[in-house]
């Protein structure tokens, strides 16, 4: 998936006015997204604005992404313009007094995106902050741009290893390629359950599916194989269950060959787990599957 950014040439020209208009004496920065809600196939455009109504000074510029699971990623040129550890995006840039820049686009990402990781439904936050050079004492407030990712609500979605693409919308005409991606994006409710229809083929760790095991089921979401020869293979050396159901209600797993689950090297509630399907505190219908070539417990 493409991740595109404006280069350093643009940064050195535009960042001179990178600090948001306000009546304070310290430089300030603001960050924006072009929309508040996105779905697969969309592009997130990120803009910056700001001014400096105080004295001229040097600052470090931080840009971050906070994911729904609480991970914080920083945008840093030191790691190939990727999201990595918390480092400044721009170090020690001088901002003259009275400098102003209106909101303008600086970088953008196609969804789903894996650097930074924006490949699931949920609430995300872009963050922007300034500090004095070589310190983490931020100047003023951290600017926040909140946005949601998701897909239009439907009751049926489709996965096809041969014809799908995870940049699609999961419809029958434009299916996804991987079960992992489908489970990340869909959300079911008791009053609106969801079915993921999976076309025949082998779903494993390799291209084009790149499944991540265990596949984590969600409440009121069902996986249904749409024909014989629909295989989910975790390739036992991964040391994990093929499918995991933890505190899941109302789902169904039907019609698959489930293989390659191996012993997991951790414990949950004192219970060793692994194997084809691991269930804990769940009520899931498991029907018409062939569960073969799996192992569980300690090796």
């Amino acid at each position: 998936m493409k991740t595109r950014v404006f280069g350093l040439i643009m940064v050195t020209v535009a960042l001179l006015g990178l600090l948001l208009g306000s009546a304070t004496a310290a430089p300030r920065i603001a960050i924006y997204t072009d929309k508040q809600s996105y779905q697969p196939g969309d592009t997130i455009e990120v803009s910056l604005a700001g001014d400096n109504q105080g004295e001229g000074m040097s600052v470090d510029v931080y840009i971050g992404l906070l994911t729904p699971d609480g991970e914080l990623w920083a945008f840093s040129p030191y790691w190939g313009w990727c999201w990595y550890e918390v480092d400044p995006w721009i170090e020690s840039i001088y901002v003259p007094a009275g400098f102003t820049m209106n909101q303008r686009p600086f970088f953008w990402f196609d969804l789903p995106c894996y650097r930074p990781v924006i490949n699931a439904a949920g609430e995300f936050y872009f963050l922007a902050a300034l500090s004095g050079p070589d310190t983490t004492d931020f100047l003023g407030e951290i600017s926040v741009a909140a946005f949601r990712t998701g897909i239009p609500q439907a009751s049926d979605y489709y996965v096809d290893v041969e014809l799908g693409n995870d940049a699609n919308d999961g419809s029958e005409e434009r299916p996804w390629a991987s079960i992992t991606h489908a489970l990340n994006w869909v959300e079911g409710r008791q009053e609106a359950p969801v079915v993921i229809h999976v076309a025949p083929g082998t779903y494993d760790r390799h291209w084009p599916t790149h499944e991540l095991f265990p596949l984590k089921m969600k409440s009121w979401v069902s996986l249904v194989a749409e024909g014989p020869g629909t295989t989910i293979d975790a390739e036992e050396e991964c040391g994990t269950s093929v499918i995991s159901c933890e505190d899941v209600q109302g789902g169904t797993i039907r019609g698959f060959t489930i293989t390659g689950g191996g012993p997991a090297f951790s414990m949950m509630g004192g219970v060793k787990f692994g194997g084809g399907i691991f269930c804990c505190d769940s009520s899931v219908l498991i029907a018409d599957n062939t569960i073969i070539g799996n192992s569980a417990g300690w090796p």
Side-chain angles (χ1 to χ4, degrees):
M1 194 55 53
K2 295 180 180 178
T3 302
R4 299 170 291 176
V5 299
F6 284 91
L8 276 172
I9 295 177
M10 178 180 180
V11 170
T12 56
V13 173
L15 267 183
L16 292 177
L18 188 67
L19 315 161
L20 194 180
S22 72
T24 64
R28 296 185 66 184
I29 186 172
I31 191 165
Y32 307 90
T33 55
D34 58 316
K35 297 191 298 182
Q36 292 184 320
S37 181
Y38 301 89
Q39 63 187 64
D42 287 347
T43 298
I44 297 177
E45 183 179 272
V46 182
S47 300
L48 298 171
D51 73 4
N52 181 19
Q53 296 188 16
E55 297 181 354
M57 64 181 297
S58 294
V59 297
D60 288 347
V61 182
Y62 287 82
I63 303 294
L65 175 74
L66 185 63
T67 65
D69 58 7
E71 290 189 348
L72 178 62
W73 297 82
F75 193 41
S76 172
Y78 300 111
W79 303 98
W81 290 99
C82 68
W83 296 80
Y84 197 68
E85 296 175 348
V86 179
D87 289 319
W89 178 33
I90 304 296
E91 286 190 291
S92 192
I93 183 169
Y94 183 77
V95 184
F99 220 74
T100 300
M101 185 182 73
N102 294 326
Q103 180 179 338
R104 62 181 298 172
F106 263 73
F107 48 88
W108 57 89
F109 303 96
D110 295 334
L111 292 187
C113 181
Y114 298 92
R115 186 176 287 183
V117 179
I118 310 176
N119 67 344
E123 290 274 1
F124 292 80
Y125 301 88
F126 278 115
L127 312 173
L130 301 174
S131 75
D134 301 319
T135 78
T136 54
D137 295 329
F138 293 115
L139 304 171
E141 296 182 355
I142 296 174
S143 178
V144 178
F147 64 96
R148 285 194 60 83
T149 57
I151 52 179
Q153 187 60 43
S155 58
D156 294 274
Y157 298 95
Y158 296 84
V159 173
D160 191 322
V161 64
E162 298 293 337
L163 304 177
N165 188 312
D166 283 346
N168 289 343
D169 60 12
S171 64
E172 189 169 9
E173 295 76 19
R174 302 179 67 240
W176 290 315
S178 71
I179 300 170
T180 299
H181 183 81
L183 287 170
N184 279 342
W185 281 93
V186 305
E187 297 291 340
R189 305 187 306 277
Q190 185 171 4
E191 64 275 16
V194 165
V195 178
I196 300 171
H197 303 269
V198 183
T202 298
Y203 296 82
D204 56 26
R205 296 183 298 120
H206 305 293
W207 186 91
T209 57
H210 294 295
E211 303 289 2
L212 297 177
F213 294 102
L215 300 177
K216 296 183 178 181
M217 296 294 294
K218 293 180 174 179
S219 292
W220 310 107
V221 174
S222 296
L223 285 179
V224 176
E226 291 301 306
T230 309
T231 299
I232 305 174
D233 187 354
E235 299 171 299
E236 188 169 333
E237 69 271 15
C238 294
T240 179
S241 308
V242 183
I243 299 174
S244 175
C245 305
E246 300 178 31
D247 196 24
V248 172
Q249 308 300 319
T252 297
I253 303 169
R254 183 186 297 275
F256 295 92
T257 296
I258 298 170
T259 189
F265 301 104
S266 60
M267 302 180 70
M268 179 177 180
V271 179
K272 301 174 184 178
F273 62 95
I277 301 175
F278 170 76
C279 289
C280 180
D281 296 328
S282 298
S283 178
V284 178
L285 176 62
I286 301 171
D288 303 325
N289 300 286
T290 300
I291 303 174
I292 189 172
N294 304 281
S295 58
W298 298 108

Coordinates of all heavy atoms in Angstrom, one line a residue, residues 208-249:
P208 N -1.2 -13.7 -1.4 CA -1.6 -12.3 -1.3 C -2.4 -12.0 0.0 O -2.9 -10.9 0.2 CB -2.5 -12.1 -2.5 CG -3.2 -13.4 -2.7 CD -2.1 -14.4 -2.3
T209 N -2.6 -13.1 0.9 CA -3.5 -12.8 2.0 C -2.7 -12.3 3.2 O -3.2 -11.4 3.9 CB -4.2 -14.1 2.4 OG1 -3.2 -15.1 2.7 CG2 -5.1 -14.6 1.3
H210 N -1.5 -12.8 3.5 CA -0.7 -12.3 4.6 C -1.6 -12.4 5.9 O -1.6 -11.4 6.7 CB -0.2 -10.9 4.4 CG 0.8 -10.8 3.3 ND1 2.0 -11.4 3.4 CD2 0.7 -10.2 2.1 CE1 2.7 -11.2 2.2 NE2 1.9 -10.4 1.5
E211 N -2.2 -13.5 6.2 CA -3.0 -13.6 7.4 C -2.2 -13.5 8.6 O -1.0 -14.0 8.7 CB -3.8 -14.9 7.4 CG -4.7 -15.1 6.1 CD -5.9 -14.3 6.1 OE1 -6.1 -13.4 7.0 OE2 -6.7 -14.4 5.2
L212 N -2.8 -12.9 9.7 CA -2.1 -12.8 11.0 C -2.9 -13.8 11.9 O -4.1 -13.6 12.1 CB -2.1 -11.4 11.5 CG -1.4 -10.4 10.7 CD1 -1.5 -9.0 11.3 CD2 0.1 -10.7 10.5
F213 N -2.1 -14.7 12.5 CA -2.8 -15.7 13.3 C -2.5 -15.5 14.8 O -1.4 -15.0 15.1 CB -2.3 -17.1 12.9 CG -2.8 -17.5 11.5 CD1 -1.9 -17.4 10.5 CD2 -4.1 -17.9 11.3 CE1 -2.3 -17.8 9.2 CE2 -4.5 -18.2 10.1 CZ -3.6 -18.2 9.0
P214 N -3.4 -15.8 15.7 CA -4.7 -16.4 15.3 C -5.7 -15.3 14.8 O -5.6 -14.1 15.1 CB -5.2 -16.8 16.7 CG -4.6 -15.9 17.7 CD -3.3 -15.6 17.1
L215 N -6.6 -15.8 13.9 CA -7.7 -14.9 13.5 C -8.6 -14.7 14.7 O -9.1 -15.6 15.3 CB -8.4 -15.6 12.3 CG -7.7 -15.9 11.1 CD1 -8.6 -16.7 10.1 CD2 -7.1 -14.7 10.4
K216 N -8.8 -13.4 15.0 CA -9.5 -13.1 16.2 C -11.0 -12.8 15.9 O -11.3 -11.7 15.3 CB -8.9 -11.9 16.9 CG -7.5 -12.2 17.4 CD -6.8 -11.1 18.2 CE -5.4 -11.5 18.7 NZ -4.8 -10.4 19.4
M217 N -11.9 -13.7 16.3 CA -13.3 -13.5 16.1 C -13.8 -12.4 16.9 O -13.3 -12.0 18.0 CB -14.0 -14.8 16.3 CG -13.7 -16.0 15.4 SD -14.2 -15.7 13.7 CE -16.0 -15.7 13.9
K218 N -14.9 -11.8 16.4 CA -15.6 -10.7 17.1 C -17.1 -11.2 17.4 O -17.6 -12.0 16.6 CB -15.7 -9.4 16.3 CG -14.3 -8.8 16.1 CD -14.5 -7.5 15.3 CE -13.2 -6.7 15.1 NZ -13.3 -5.5 14.3
S219 N -17.7 -10.6 18.4 CA -19.1 -10.9 18.7 C -20.0 -10.5 17.5 O -19.8 -9.4 16.9 CB -19.5 -10.2 19.9 OG -18.9 -10.7 21.1
W220 N -20.9 -11.4 17.2 CA -22.0 -11.1 16.2 C -21.4 -11.0 14.8 O -21.9 -10.4 13.9 CB -22.8 -9.9 16.6 CG -23.4 -10.0 18.0 CD1 -22.9 -9.3 19.0 CD2 -24.3 -11.0 18.5 NE1 -23.6 -9.7 20.2 CE2 -24.4 -10.7 19.9 CE3 -25.1 -12.0 17.9 CZ2 -25.3 -11.5 20.7 CZ3 -25.9 -12.7 18.7 CH2 -26.0 -12.5 20.1
V221 N -20.2 -11.6 14.6 CA -19.6 -11.7 13.3 C -19.3 -13.2 13.0 O -18.8 -13.9 13.8 CB -18.2 -10.9 13.3 CG1 -17.5 -11.2 11.9 CG2 -18.5 -9.5 13.5
S222 N -19.8 -13.6 11.8 CA -19.6 -15.0 11.4 C -18.7 -15.2 10.2 O -18.7 -14.3 9.3 CB -21.0 -15.6 11.0 OG -21.9 -15.6 12.1
L223 N -17.9 -16.3 10.2 CA -17.1 -16.6 9.1 C -17.8 -17.9 8.4 O -18.0 -18.9 9.0 CB -15.7 -17.0 9.5 CG -14.7 -15.9 9.9 CD1 -13.4 -16.5 10.3 CD2 -14.5 -14.9 8.8
V224 N -18.1 -17.7 7.1 CA -18.8 -18.8 6.4 C -18.0 -19.1 5.1 O -17.8 -18.2 4.3 CB -20.2 -18.4 6.1 CG1 -20.9 -19.5 5.2 CG2 -21.0 -18.2 7.4
A225 N -17.5 -20.3 4.9 CA -16.9 -20.7 3.7 C -17.9 -20.9 2.6 O -19.0 -21.5 2.8 CB -16.1 -22.0 3.9
E226 N -17.6 -20.4 1.4 CA -18.6 -20.5 0.3 C -18.3 -21.6 -0.6 O -18.8 -21.6 -1.8 CB -18.5 -19.1 -0.4 CG -19.1 -18.0 0.4 CD -20.5 -18.2 0.8 OE1 -21.4 -18.5 -0.1 OE2 -20.8 -18.1 2.0
G227 N -17.7 -22.7 -0.2 CA -17.5 -23.8 -1.0 C -16.4 -24.7 -0.5 O -15.6 -24.3 0.4
P228 N -16.3 -26.0 -1.0 CA -15.3 -26.9 -0.5 C -13.9 -26.3 -0.9 O -13.8 -25.6 -1.9 CB -15.6 -28.2 -1.3 CG -16.4 -27.8 -2.5 CD -17.2 -26.6 -2.0
G229 N -12.9 -26.8 -0.2 CA -11.5 -26.3 -0.5 C -11.2 -24.9 0.0 O -10.3 -24.3 -0.5
T230 N -12.0 -24.5 1.0 CA -11.7 -23.2 1.7 C -10.9 -23.5 3.0 O -11.4 -24.0 4.0 CB -13.0 -22.5 2.0 OG1 -13.8 -22.4 0.9 CG2 -12.7 -21.1 2.5
T231 N -9.6 -23.3 2.9 CA -8.6 -23.7 3.9 C -8.0 -22.5 4.6 O -7.5 -21.6 4.0 CB -7.5 -24.6 3.3 OG1 -8.1 -25.7 2.7 CG2 -6.5 -25.0 4.4
I232 N -8.0 -22.6 5.9 CA -7.2 -21.6 6.7 C -6.1 -22.4 7.4 O -6.3 -23.3 8.2 CB -8.1 -21.0 7.8 CG1 -9.4 -20.4 7.2 CG2 -7.3 -19.9 8.6 CD1 -10.4 -19.9 8.3
D233 N -4.9 -22.0 7.0 CA -3.7 -22.7 7.4 C -2.7 -21.8 8.1 O -2.1 -20.9 7.6 CB -3.0 -23.3 6.1 CG -1.8 -24.2 6.5 OD1 -1.5 -24.3 7.7 OD2 -1.3 -24.8 5.5
A234 N -2.5 -22.0 9.4 CA -1.6 -21.2 10.3 C -0.2 -21.7 10.2 O 0.7 -21.1 10.8 CB -2.1 -21.2 11.7
E235 N 0.1 -22.8 9.5 CA 1.4 -23.3 9.4 C 2.1 -23.5 10.7 O 2.8 -22.5 11.2 CB 2.3 -22.5 8.4 CG 1.6 -22.4 7.0 CD 2.3 -21.4 6.2 OE1 2.3 -20.2 6.5 OE2 2.9 -21.8 5.1
E236 N 2.0 -24.6 11.3 CA 2.2 -24.8 12.8 C 3.4 -24.2 13.4 O 3.4 -23.8 14.6 CB 2.2 -26.3 13.0 CG 2.2 -26.7 14.5 CD 2.0 -28.2 14.6 OE1 1.4 -28.8 13.8 OE2 2.5 -28.7 15.6
E237 N 4.4 -23.9 12.6 CA 5.6 -23.3 13.2 C 5.3 -21.9 13.8 O 6.1 -21.3 14.5 CB 6.8 -23.2 12.2 CG 6.6 -22.2 11.1 CD 5.9 -22.8 9.9 OE1 5.3 -23.9 10.0 OE2 5.9 -22.2 8.8
C238 N 4.2 -21.3 13.5 CA 3.9 -20.0 14.0 C 3.6 -20.0 15.5 O 3.7 -19.0 16.2 CB 2.6 -19.4 13.3 SG 2.9 -19.0 11.6
G239 N 3.3 -21.2 16.1 CA 3.0 -21.4 17.5 C 1.8 -20.6 18.0 O 1.9 -19.8 18.9
T240 N 0.7 -20.9 17.3 CA -0.5 -20.2 17.7 C -1.8 -21.0 17.2 O -1.7 -21.8 16.4 CB -0.6 -18.8 17.0 OG1 -1.8 -18.1 17.4 CG2 -0.5 -18.9 15.5
S241 N -2.9 -20.6 17.8 CA -4.1 -21.2 17.3 C -4.4 -20.6 15.9 O -3.9 -19.6 15.5 CB -5.3 -20.8 18.2 OG -5.1 -21.1 19.6
V242 N -5.2 -21.3 15.2 CA -5.7 -20.8 13.9 C -6.7 -19.7 14.1 O -6.6 -18.6 13.5 CB -6.2 -21.9 13.0 CG1 -6.6 -21.4 11.6 CG2 -5.2 -23.1 12.9
I243 N -7.7 -20.0 14.9 CA -8.8 -19.0 15.2 C -8.9 -18.9 16.7 O -8.9 -19.9 17.4 CB -10.1 -19.5 14.5 CG1 -10.0 -19.6 13.0 CG2 -11.2 -18.5 14.9 CD1 -11.2 -20.1 12.3
S244 N -9.1 -17.7 17.2 CA -9.3 -17.5 18.6 C -10.6 -16.8 18.9 O -11.0 -15.8 18.2 CB -8.1 -16.6 19.1 OG -8.3 -16.2 20.5
C245 N -11.4 -17.3 19.8 CA -12.6 -16.7 20.3 C -12.5 -16.4 21.8 O -12.6 -17.3 22.6 CB -13.8 -17.7 20.0 SG -13.9 -18.3 18.3
E246 N -12.3 -15.2 22.1 CA -12.1 -14.8 23.5 C -13.2 -13.7 23.8 O -13.2 -12.6 23.3 CB -10.7 -14.2 23.7 CG -9.6 -15.2 23.4 CD -8.2 -14.7 23.5 OE1 -8.0 -13.8 24.4 OE2 -7.3 -15.1 22.8
D247 N -14.1 -14.1 24.7 CA -15.2 -13.3 25.1 C -16.0 -12.9 23.8 O -16.3 -11.7 23.6 CB -14.7 -12.0 25.8 CG -15.8 -11.3 26.5 OD1 -16.9 -12.0 26.8 OD2 -15.7 -10.1 26.8
V248 N -16.4 -13.8 23.0 CA -17.1 -13.6 21.8 C -18.5 -14.3 21.9 O -18.6 -15.4 22.4 CB -16.3 -14.2 20.6 CG1 -17.2 -14.2 19.3 CG2 -15.0 -13.5 20.4
Q249 N -19.5 -13.6 21.5 CA -20.9 -14.1 21.5 C -21.5 -14.0 20.1 O -21.3 -13.0 19.4 CB -21.7 -13.2 22.5 CG -21.1 -13.1 23.9 CD -20.9 -14.5 24.6 OE1 -21.7 -15.4 24.5 NE2 -19.7 -14.6 25.3

